[in-house]
Amino acid sequence: MIEAGRPSPLGATPDAEGTNFAVFSSIADRVELCLFDAAGHEAQRINLPERTDSVWHGYLPGCGPGQLYGYRVHGPYDADVGHRCNPAQLLLDPYTKALSGEFAWVEAVFDTNSHDSAPHVPKSVVRGPCGPPQFVLPRVPWRDTIFYEANVRGFTMRHPAVDEADRGKFDGMRNRDVLDYLKALGITSLELMPVHAFIDEHHLVKKGLRNFWGYNSISFFAPSPRYAKQDAGAEFCDMVRAIHDAGMEVILDVVYNHTGEGGGSGPSLCFRGLDNLTYYSTEPGAPGSYINDTGCGNTVNVDHPQVQKLILESLRHWHVDMGVDGFRFDLAPVLGRHNHGFSSNHPMLERISADAELRDAKLVAEPWDPGPGGYQLGHFPRNWAEWNDRFRDSVRRFWRGDEGISGELAQRLRGSADVFEWSGRPPLASVNFISSHDGFTLADTVSYEQRHNEANGEDNQDGHAHNFSCNYGIEGDADDPDILATRERQRLNMLATVLFSQGTPLLLAGDEFGHSQRGNNNAYAQDNEIAWIDWKQAETDAAFLDKVRSLIRLRQETPLLRLREYLHGRLETDTGIVEIEWFSASGDAMSEHAWSGENQLCLVLSEKRKTGGRSTAAILINGSTDDCEFRLPESIDWQLAFDSSAVARLGAGTLSMPARSIALTISREG
């Protein structure tokens, strides 16, 4: 016999004698707890006996970990006014920490009919307490952080050292050879694309495709069974421990802006059937119509306190219980949007920023979404960093030879003070990248001028149309030695620009050895060899990979490339005096004409330490198609630390550089 139980915590909470079930629904007339056997057949339905402040709850003696369950909600159904209760739909527990079973696109999963959806949807699973976290967090300082974005499945599916059974799984990511590779590369923080349980979109399934990226969540607590062999939660934790033991952080890409239930004609799997108007934003005066600020059919209603609670408790779960070191928030302006627009003081953002249990977590925003006023670069709270697309676009445009970009590039090199300093944030708030999962890979940026997304089945109309890319003579694969040499140099130039710039670098997995997606700049549906990392390319491009490793090592060994504060000429710090100067190739200070009309510049950073001694670093950039000779500040004993061309010549106070190249010279005295 079920007992009253308690309304907190939400979810299924087992103890030695049974399990407490608690679920929020402000609109339900009755909530049934449905129990399933190991084969997924419904065995029992039990009404939750109590309701406390819109939380339905009950305690079931004898029910323990491993029990499959779901909810059926009895209440009003009128889609035009936003009420979507239909007891024919078996609903996931929003707080479930594990799922069992697959989702199928059949008529029964839509709430517009009375067919039982239970045989066609995943079931929630009662999960026992995780116990002590037992995670030793690396706690990498922001100043030392280098993000590396990877997809759990795509990173390991073709890796020769990963066992067949582990490929595409959490277990594959903890393979010793995989971790040794990442450690040797020098990255500090592995940023995983979404691992929350998700489903494939209907239009993809009809085309015989799958969602590869994972931005279609149906649960904010449960890891995707797709990435597990048996127990997704345990295998995820094992992966995190292994990555931590290797000295690296785990950053999760999280999608709290929309869910896989889609628009009004989408499936009813969880939130819609529990309390549609609580969980989703609808049009003012038209509650039957979803606001679609995400471009994915629905938008999560972060104005509602219950939704804020859900997101906060999800973040705490992943950080405290699962060992995750930080989060990258997909389409983050949604988390700060009221009906009247975005606010950096939105309660959702403020609660995340101030939460005591998240104080050690790295917080990174993707500061744009497709909604009105959706571009919010530079406007997130002070303890957040942000992906900086202005950095990406400026660097791509400069190196492909666009005119008048030198001044813009200079702003990005010095940490984008024009974007972040006004709000009191340091250069490290700028996450600098050239490529990410969304868009061309680095190799494709120098090989294609047009997107080639035909495999997506959308008539090549999807993905970015403007990529600031250049193919240097022929679209796609080339065998001309000059074209290949130019492409390789430009890849190295752009990666060096990322790693020499003030801010926090982010690399896309595979860019360090020329991974290509054949010109597909929107590979979200390519769960195949188009998007999977080709590890044979790492052998082919081994010399380039070694250069990238040396670049990362050089950044970590050169504190002047990782400043905590912005420089405006001269800055006195606790350790000494730091200065910044800009020069043209002639050695003269940059003039207004040089900023707007030339693409040869030299940035000199120096620190005179209070304890004695001086360190100096000069970043020299020749973005033109002509060779040039830079005059370096005299009376400094320069050493050439890096040269993308491999043929630059350092003389007495000069550095001769070929076209399209970047170099770093350093000096350490005392």
Side-chain angles (χ1 to χ4, degrees), residues 200-220:
D200 300 314
E201 293 88 336
H202 199 191
H203 73 276
L204 295 183
V205 173
K206 289 191 291 187
K207 296 174 185 175
L209 299 172
R210 300 179 78 196
N211 185 310
F212 173 59
W213 286 353
Y215 295 94
N216 205 35
S217 305
I218 56 169
S219 174
F220 295 151

Side-chain angles (χ1 to χ4, degrees), residues 484-656:
L484 293 175
T486 298
R487 288 177 176 179
E488 180 175 323
R489 174 92 59 84
Q490 292 289 62
R491 284 194 286 139
L492 197 57
N493 288 338
M494 286 189 274
L495 285 176
T497 306
V498 171
L499 291 161
F500 291 166
S501 294
Q502 303 299 323
T504 304
L506 178 142
L507 306 182
L508 173 65
D511 276 358
E512 69 272 22
F513 53 75
H515 172 65
S516 171
Q517 293 178 167
R518 308 175 198 169
N520 191 316
N521 74 351
N522 189 31
Y524 79 105
Q526 300 305 318
D527 188 5
N528 51 49
E529 293 189 356
I530 290 177
W532 297 343
I533 299 295
D534 180 5
W535 288 97
K536 291 180 180 179
Q537 184 64 30
E539 299 176 7
T540 303
D541 217 2
F544 187 89
L545 175 57
D546 284 342
K547 293 175 184 177
V548 177
R549 288 180 179 138
S550 69
L551 273 172
I552 293 174
R553 184 168 58 251
L554 189 56
R555 176 183 175 86
Q556 300 292 41
E557 294 173 350
T558 310
L560 284 168
L561 301 178
R562 300 177 286 114
L563 298 175
R564 294 186 178 93
E565 300 178 69
Y566 290 106
L567 288 181
H568 299 281
R570 178 186 176 98
L571 176 68
E572 186 167 351
T573 69
D574 293 338
T575 58
I577 297 174
V578 187
E579 294 182 283
I580 183 172
E581 297 178 278
W582 297 92
F583 299 98
S584 64
S586 65
D588 298 323
M590 290 287 287
S591 65
E592 288 298 322
H593 171 73
W595 284 124
S596 60
E598 298 182 12
N599 46 11
Q600 298 168 343
L601 63 154
C602 174
L603 166 60
V604 177
L605 300 162
S606 62
E607 180 182 25
K608 185 176 182 181
R609 294 183 291 276
K610 291 180 179 179
T611 56
R614 183 184 186 94
S615 296
T616 310
I619 304 167
L620 303 104
I621 298 175
N622 180 11
S624 73
T625 55
D626 298 317
D627 298 349
C628 75
E629 182 175 271
F630 279 92
R631 293 189 61 84
L632 291 165
E634 299 177 1
S635 72
I636 296 178
D637 183 18
W638 294 104
Q639 295 180 349
L640 183 59
F642 176 80
D643 162 32
S644 66
S645 71
V647 297
R649 299 187 306 277
L650 182 63
T654 62
L655 182 69
S656 298

